[in-house]
Amino acid sequence: MSRAPNYEFQEWWNKQREKNHGLFTNESSNPSNGFLTVEISSPNPDRTAEKDRSRSARQLSWVCLLRFQQLANSLAWITNASIILLRTANRRISASPSDSSASRLYRIIKFFLFLVLLLLCVELVAYFKGWHFSPPSAASAEAAVELVYAKWLEIRADYLAPPLQSLANVCIVLFLIQSVDRVVLMLGCFWIKFRKVKPTVAMEYPVGPVEGDNVEDYPMVLVQIPMCNEREVYQQSIAAVCIMDWPKERMLVQVLDDSDDLDVQLLIKAEVQKWQQRGVHMLYRHRLIRTGYKAGNLKSAMNCDYVKNYEFVAIFDADFQPAPDFLKKTIPYFKGNDDLALVQTRWAFVNKDENLLTRLQNINLSFHFEVEQQVNGVFINFFGFNGTAGVWRIKALEDCGGWLERTTVEDMDIAVRAHLCGWKFVYLNDVKCLCELPESYEAYKKQQHRWHSGPMQLFRLCFLDILRSKVSMAKKANLIFLFFLLRKLILPFYSFTLFCIILPLTMFLPEAQLPAWVVCYIPGIMSMLNIIPAPRSFPFIVPYLLFENTMSVTKFNAMISGLFRFGSSYEWVVTKKLGRSSETDLVAYEKESDTLVEATSLLRSSSDSGLEELSKLEVTKKNVKTRRNRVYRKELALAFILLTASVRSLLSAQGIHFYFLLFQGISFLVVGLDLIGEQVS
């Protein structure tokens, strides 16, 4: 703030100038003495000064009132937000089912929470007694409480801290190994981009309709759409497949419906009949004995007699919408490559900006496709099949034993077996297939549980097959150590153990320490590397880092259940879709179908059921069970553990550890209250 002008001094100075006119001359009369001239402008009369003073006082009062009003508004907003949060938590806790409390991991976390709360009470007593600054010894202890605390210090220093530090060192080594793997993958991706490496193709199909003389140049392709109670998305997937630019007599579409809802069955069957009337070769299949989930569905479809007439099979899940030129961009890679089994394409998401949860999923999956799949496809011709948006050579499927129902990751299972049989894979990063991300945390959590328990089931079942196979030792080592152990087992193990168990314990056992670069710097660098394939997501780097650690409890639980064959490892829950793009796409598909009807010279009356089917869809949507947000007890318990550890860290003035534990605890709290994804009123 600038100092107020001294008007009395200015008035005195002007009088002195008039008296000493001969000494202080004007600059115009004697330019050579200009450096001696001092000129101070006199202000307005004293009345103006008094007005300025009164105006300044009024302005200061208004500024103070404005500040108080802003403070009151902020306090009111914080109070309302806290009340809404408490009401939401209370409502969701009372309405949430209690079956999750029976899990083994939840009971362990509850015991851990009780332990850290007890330790925090002990440390608070020691802090107010001053024992943090001058720890007592057993010999000099006067009171019984002081003697107990001295004994506790000896026990934790001699017996508890050393094993905890050893476990922390093991996790740090695993963390560094996994970080090196990420860096190597990124370097491989940079090399591919710099050298512009792409899979080579021997021929290309022309764009546009196929002429009659050239139909034989197009191989026979079987297209499969497995689905189960896909009420929201069945129309868009069927329509997208039916308008693909491929000779209709050289393509057969199988709609493999495993729905147990009779209304959904009728809707899908009516949709198939509509496209059959428009000239599309399409079959509707429904199994009476629905065993084996998706693998059993695909296996049943491949056992049909007419499948032997087809050379390739393209697979699309119910929420996937391939572009019309999908087959023309993928099938040519099989020409001249008789050892090529699979062509996998990239997923693109129609709802990646729907909420924070979908944005964070987009970061993970962008890294998976842009880096992991592309690098593995270029350098070793092997990667895990993503289960959809890919084309298989049917001979390769038969050669490796076909679809098996032994795990919940049938796509990874058949990819590993095909790799052991010597087949190669190609990944196309430029060919994208639209699909939908789960928008609710409940759907995302169930999806991640299946994706992380299945690989451990598969590793336990195929470990001996890998050792007995005839592939090279390098391929065996890649499968065992990189594909399964490092990326499927070690990653969720160290992420959960290091940041959710060891770090809080080191706050109460300060003799064991985690360096700041393990807690902050290396995770931050790894998060930046993961976000590079999705550069628009850089503002979400901190939520991404915290959310990945929050998901570690789900991934760790799934990994353990799959490795030791717990009951939940064989649970298959269909990921809930909302059909975000169905309304706009149906209009576009209806226009495409009009030209298809004209080309096949069918009556328009046989293809006018689109609006009727949409009305049926709206009627049946009313019978859908009401969705609700849930409360996740494991995440809430871990939130209180981390927040308790942050309080203990505050007592020790550990800056980075305190902030990490605080924000990580808040992240667990937000996820535990189901506030991150879709909110159902």
Side-chain angles (χ1 to χ4, degrees), residues 168 194 204 226 234 260 310 336 349 449 463 492 508 549 555 614:
F194 178 73
E204 293 183 359
Y234 74 94
D260 55 5
Y310 294 85
F349 310 107
H449 187 278
F463 177 70
F508 299 98
N549 291 332
K555 297 175 182 178
L614 281 175

Side-chain angles (χ1 to χ4, degrees), residues 226-263:
M227 56 180 63
C228 180
N229 297 323
E230 309 283 0
R231 181 189 301 269
E232 292 81 8
V233 294
Y234 74 94
Q235 285 182 308
Q236 63 192 42
S237 60
I238 292 176
V241 167
C242 290
I243 65 171
M244 283 200 296
D245 188 11
W246 198 259
K248 301 306 174 184
E249 59 270 25
R250 311 292 290 180
M251 181 179 72
L252 174 65
V253 180
Q254 286 182 321
V255 178
L256 311 177
D257 182 24
D258 258 3
S259 303
D260 55 5
D261 188 335
L262 182 59
D263 292 336

Side-chain angles (χ1 to χ4, degrees), residues 92 441 550 630-636 639 666-676:
R92 294 182 182 181
Y441 179 70
T550 305
R630 299 183 54 188
V631 167
Y632 301 96
R633 289 175 167 81
K634 287 194 288 290
E635 285 80 355
L636 282 180
I666 294 174
S667 175
F668 268 101
L669 186 63
V670 169
V671 172
L673 294 176
D674 199 6
L675 298 173
I676 189 174

Side-chain angles (χ1 to χ4, degrees), residues 200-206 217-219 328-329 331-336:
T200 57
V201 59
M203 54 87 67
E204 293 183 359
Y205 289 109
D217 296 336
Y218 294 80
K328 286 188 174 181
K329 288 185 176 180
I331 296 296
Y333 289 91
F334 290 98
K335 298 293 184 179

